[in-house]
Amino acid sequence: MRFRVTPAARAPIPSGVPGIAGSGALAFVLTVAGGGVWSGLLFANLTTTPAVPWAVVVMGLLLWCTWRYLGGSWAPQGTAAWRRAHMRANRPPPGTIAWALLAGIFFVLALAGFWSVLFQLVKLPSNPLPDFSRYPLVTVFLVLAMASLVSAVTEEIGFRGYFQVSLESRLPAAAAILLQALLLSPAHALTQGFFWPVLLFYLLVDVSLGLTAYLTNSILPGLAVHAAGLLAFFTLVWPR
């Protein structure tokens, strides 16, 4: 018996709004700005009132507004259909979601092992996390959960949504998936460093998430896997 993966059916992409260059710029700015805003809010929160994680609430509202607007809500209505189609927050069938999540879980486990092996074979700087031992446990949990969501939401909307959808309308799927991963590499390097093992690791991550978005025609399964994977690395892999 042969098993064949067929990409999910997709509606025509509305045209007439900024194309590949505009979508790529939006993806990069959204990712960098999202991380910068979250870092600023977190710094202010932890240096003033660490027992009250208000930065999580503020960032959650900002992410919700970003999700709504880029998903086609609010004015201008002339770009609503374009925004909705390019964000690609479609709901796949339950069976598709289940298989995508299962594959994502196994991929995160494989990546954890791959990262550990790379760290043993190549001398790399560690991924230091803030010293959370002096903060309340609830604050630590909420901060790590929001940190995972910020990266997952901004990258999935910007790169696997807007940018990759624009590329897919003009290029073969394989080229679109690879190009979105390559454009994201500098954003990863800004925080993780320009080291080939790190860039290779994130290239594999971004190609996998791009493939998931293409096959399911949705960023939702990849977003769940992305956020869960980041949380696992924040709590289990990078501290060790």
Side-chain angles (χ1 to χ4, degrees):
M1 179 181 295
R2 297 180 64 186
F3 178 72
R4 183 178 181 183
V5 177
T6 303
R10 55 202 72 211
I13 303 300
S15 59
V17 190
I20 291 178
S23 297
L26 172 65
F28 196 82
V29 170
L30 181 63
T31 299
V32 174
V37 170
W38 168 241
S39 297
L41 289 172
L42 181 60
F43 177 79
N45 192 167
L46 295 182
T47 54
T48 55
T49 54
V52 182
W54 54 263
V56 173
V57 177
V58 174
M59 195 66 209
L61 289 173
L62 291 176
L63 286 180
W64 180 81
C65 291
T66 301
W67 182 276
R68 293 283 293 170
Y69 176 75
L70 294 180
S73 297
W74 308 326
Q77 291 304 311
T79 64
W82 187 88
R83 284 180 278 137
R84 188 178 304 110
H86 280 70
M87 194 168 98
R88 189 156 55 181
N90 308 313
R91 294 184 181 180
T96 301
I97 294 178
W99 280 111
L101 293 179
L102 183 62
I105 290 171
F106 281 113
F107 188 65
V108 169
L109 293 175
L111 284 174
F114 182 61
W115 178 265
S116 299
V117 171
L118 277 179
F119 204 86
Q120 297 297 322
L121 295 178
V122 183
K123 185 174 179 59
L124 294 170
S126 60
N127 292 69
L129 295 174
D131 181 12
F132 286 121
S133 61
R134 48 204 180 105
Y135 302 117
L137 185 60
V138 173
T139 298
V140 173
F141 174 78
L142 291 176
V143 163
L144 291 178
M146 180 53 66
S148 303
L149 279 175
V150 169
S151 294
V153 169
T154 56
E155 289 180 21
E156 294 307 312
I157 291 176
F159 285 93
R160 262 69 71 177
Y162 274 72
F163 187 47
Q164 188 172 313
V165 168
S166 295
L167 290 170
E168 287 174 15
S169 67
R170 296 166 177 83
L171 299 172
I177 292 168
L178 181 59
L179 284 175
Q180 64 82 21
L182 290 174
L183 181 65
L184 189 48
S185 293
H188 289 312
L190 288 175
T191 56
Q192 307 296 323
F194 287 87
F195 304 98
W196 73 261
V198 174
L199 295 178
L200 173 61
F201 173 83
Y202 282 107
L203 182 66
L204 293 175
V205 172
D206 295 327
V207 166
S208 172
L209 292 171
L211 181 61
T212 300
Y214 172 72
L215 292 177
T216 62
N217 191 29
S218 174
I219 63 170
L220 298 181
L223 195 157
V225 171
H226 194 159
L230 281 173
L231 188 59
F233 270 75
F234 282 146
T235 57
L236 300 175
V237 179
W238 285 332
R240 292 167 176 76

